[in-house]
Amino acid sequence: MCHTTLRSALEMAVPKKLISRNPADGCRLPPAKPREMQVLTPDEVKRLLIQAREDGCYELLLLEIATGLRWGELLALQWDDLNFKTGTLRVERQVHRAKGGVGNLPAQN
């Protein structure tokens, strides 16, 4: 992720003649190490939802579990995104952390 961001920033500096070429073009990244996904058991999900009900975030957590949405996408949802007639949910934004606060970005597919 760092390489992608840095490479993109350096690429924008080339046409502005701040640098003559992008030094990140020749970089080789180390191979990504796959991480084994850890999945909750049905009993763990049940206990998590019981605790979430006590904490007041049951609906949000249930929506996350049922849809697989990321936290940033969940937190950016608005009532207009839900169509009660068709039962569909549009994901068009995501919340992101930024220096000095939180903002919205278009959702990435």
Side-chain angles (χ1 to χ4, degrees):
M1 202 62 189
C2 293
H3 176 265
T4 302
T5 303
L6 180 59
R7 184 170 174 252
S8 178
L10 291 170
E11 193 63 40
M12 291 178 7
V14 174
K16 295 180 180 183
K17 300 194 187 301
L18 298 173
I19 56 177
S20 60
R21 68 172 195 83
N22 187 343
D25 282 343
C27 293
R28 286 190 179 199
L29 295 177
K33 296 178 184 172
R35 294 186 313 187
E36 187 173 329
M37 185 180 294
Q38 296 180 353
V39 180
L40 297 177
T41 66
D43 187 52
E44 290 171 326
V45 170
K46 184 178 178 181
R47 289 188 319 202
L48 182 63
L49 289 173
I50 290 169
Q51 185 62 49
R53 189 179 298 277
E54 291 178 19
D55 294 342
C57 60
Y58 174 81
E59 292 81 4
L60 186 64
L61 189 59
L62 182 61
L63 183 60
E64 178 192 16
I65 291 169
T67 63
L69 291 174
R70 298 177 189 102
W71 273 102
E73 295 166 337
L74 283 167
L75 297 174
L77 289 175
Q78 299 175 1
W79 284 111
D80 291 344
D81 296 329
L82 179 60
N83 184 327
F84 287 98
K85 291 180 183 172
T86 63
T88 58
L89 179 66
R90 282 189 331 254
V91 179
E92 297 182 339
R93 293 167 300 284
Q94 64 182 342
V95 172
H96 71 283
R97 285 186 221 177
K99 228 180 198 181
V102 175
N104 283 331
L105 288 175
Q108 298 187 3
N109 296 329

